[in-house]
Amino acid sequence: MKRKLIAAVGVAGMVIGLAACGGSDDKGTDKAASGAKELTVWLTVDAQNNWPELVKAADDAIIAKHPGLTIKHEYYGWPDKNAKLDAVLATDKAPDVVEMGNSEMIGYMSTGAFAEVDPAKFENSAAWLDALKDSVTYNGKSYGVPYYAGGRVGTWRKDLAAEAGVTAAPKTWAEYTGALDKIQKAKGDKFSALYQPSPDWYAAMSYVYDAGGAIAKQDGDKWKASLSSPESLKGLTQYKDLLDKYMHADKTKDESDRPVVFAQGNSAAIFAAAWEGAVAADPKNDKVGGLADKLENFVQPGPNGKNLPVFLGGSDLAIPSKSKAQDIAAEWINAFTGSQGQKGLIGKGNLPNNKTDLGPLKADPKTAVGATAAESSWFVPTAPGWGQVEKGNLLKTMLQEIGTGKKSVEEAAKAADAEIDKVINTK
């Protein structure tokens, strides 16, 4: 997922086509040249700007194990990384390690661009967060290692809640909707108790998965869209009900400027990436005045008795199939993403790649909300044509039609299923 990566600390705690080449065995990392003298690692500028010491620590650990090894780093911005990766993967100059947004992995795994890896060789792999584990898995095999995550939480104006007689953040769906009802009544019909842009499919699909539905399900080696299943329709209807009751702003707009809109003071709550509240409270966006002191984060409750499952943004690390140093590449990834690396990433305000490291974060009031929310997560279908589903804005179109009332939930879901089925199995 291409996203804002650094979770802000503050506000209310952590806001938080390419053919495979030979040279690897069935676990991908054992038969590459163990005598390689050079390792090339591609990361995004987030690592370069925010935790270069963690990169150096991994380098030092591997060089100590392989004296004489040279490690080269190249850093890229999210907008141009994949075009450069595609170009180099068509040559014999592939990097040995590359950072990918988790939802970017699918297209590369399905075309054989990444080498298979053995999860047992990586620390905490048995406890990888569900959504991150799914993001590196294709047809039951692993083609990458989760790096770190960023979650989604509820954020609201506790001052407006208090004015409406609500003194504590909601822990259940009844408390959540009851509080929104009171805020909506107090502020009037032109105010949005919940600012929820209808095309925001990351939010909407959380309700689908909470209800037991899914975007698509795998049947053998094929995927079939399932948004019109009874379970998915239940979740979409619950999402529609929220929009009808509490979202009184433009229902055609997407969520790209949500923090800025939230900062204008015409809404009381959002369900969003954990960093968005901090962006809203930034003085250059804050039109309320003192917004940072008025915001509170909470674990978003779902309508079906559990915490709402969230989409985890995040990064994975993969080894291109054309790498000539796959074994050392795997060692470097383990050094970088293992327990010490995760400790460093947590210190920078990120969520770890595994549930074990979430434990201490859940116990700390400053990080408890983001850590608890991340325990329950979902991921997009790891189907070969998923990229075309996203590129075609098929979910956004469906949700905008639902939000604006252009189509009923059933009609929009059925139409979306038909469009998804046209592309989801196409590489």
Side-chain angles (χ1 to χ4, degrees), residues 34-38 59-71 328 331:
S34 59
K37 296 298 182 183
E38 184 174 289
D59 289 352
D60 290 346
I62 300 307
I63 290 172
K65 187 175 179 180
H66 300 279
L69 179 70
T70 298
I71 301 179
I328 299 179
E331 292 177 20

Side-chain angles (χ1 to χ4, degrees), residues 380-397:
V380 299
T382 51
W386 174 253
Q388 295 186 59
V389 175
E390 279 203 53
K391 186 176 181 180
N393 291 320
L394 304 184
L395 295 179
K396 285 188 173 184
T397 298

Side-chain angles (χ1 to χ4, degrees), residues 66-81:
H66 300 279
L69 179 70
T70 298
I71 301 179
K72 295 182 178 180
H73 293 278
E74 295 187 28
Y75 294 93
Y76 295 92
W78 286 103
D80 57 2
K81 172 182 64 67

